[in-house]
Amino acid sequence: MEATGSDIVIVRPNRQGAEAKATKGAVILLLVASSAITAIVTFGGWSKLEGAQIWAIFYIVIYLVMAYLVSQWNRGILPVAAALAILFAVVALVAAPAWFDRDKAGFVDPALPPDILGLLTAILVPIQILLIAFAMRAFSQKWNIEVEGTRDEADRRYGGRSTPRPAATAS
């Protein structure tokens, strides 16, 4: 017996496991945390960033966009997130001591105390390292794999977690 078009479903088995869901959640959490800490440092030290504000805002926006894409199971953005996290970790590693150096007499304080800004910038480094590790782990989970089959077969093999295929449009 041949299956009709409405009986065919697409199943993405690599998205079903607890490990894949936890890894996805960790990547989203790390991206949002990085964005939030960067926003605090950016707006807390706005007057002392000397032209770096645009790059900080770029990272805030791009990390939030990447978090949204990862929430939609977009696997292709994960290597981009890891690459940007490498660059960001290097920048944060270089910038943190500069904030601590401003905590001396003769320097005008930004909106937040420089030692707080230095601490937050230093915290960004391990967060970026974790982001790299989790993004690459998520990439290796192959979220993009799709299996096509009948609804009955999908229910039997994957416990009823099938995703219906969009109906084909008639031309």
Side-chain angles (χ1 to χ4, degrees), residues 97-110:
W99 283 117
F100 290 118
D101 289 345
R102 293 193 64 81
D103 196 18
K104 295 184 175 88
F107 285 101
V108 177
D109 283 342

Side-chain angles (χ1 to χ4, degrees), residues 19-167:
E19 183 181 357
K21 291 177 182 178
T23 305
K24 173 185 154 184
V27 171
I28 293 168
L29 176 69
L30 290 166
L31 285 166
V32 171
S34 296
S35 184
I37 292 172
T38 304
I40 293 168
V41 171
T42 300
F43 298 113
W46 185 269
S47 63
K48 304 303 171 209
L49 287 178
E50 297 179 8
Q53 297 98 332
I54 190 72
W55 291 109
I57 291 171
F58 167 78
Y59 262 95
I60 293 166
V61 171
I62 201 73
Y63 270 21
L64 291 175
V65 169
M66 284 192 287
Y68 171 75
L69 291 172
V70 170
S71 75
Q72 301 298 308
W73 292 100
N74 185 324
R75 179 178 179 249
I77 200 69
L78 294 168
V80 176
L84 288 176
I86 291 169
L87 294 173
F88 202 37
V90 170
V91 170
L93 192 61
V94 170
W99 283 117
F100 290 118
D101 289 345
R102 293 193 64 81
D103 196 18
K104 295 184 175 88
F107 285 101
V108 177
D109 283 342
L112 289 176
D115 56 340
I116 298 294
L117 295 172
L119 177 64
L120 290 173
T121 305
I123 289 172
L124 279 172
V125 176
I127 289 176
Q128 299 312 297
I129 292 169
L130 286 171
L131 178 57
I132 295 163
F134 276 98
M136 290 295 85
R137 176 66 186 135
F139 187 75
S140 72
Q141 291 175 341
K142 300 181 180 174
W143 296 347
N144 61 321
I145 301 295
E146 295 179 341
V147 179
E148 186 176 282
T150 64
R151 185 174 303 279
D152 292 338
E153 180 184 68
D155 290 345
R156 188 173 55 254
R157 290 184 74 191
Y158 303 108
R161 292 177 282 193
S162 60
T163 304
R165 173 184 249 182

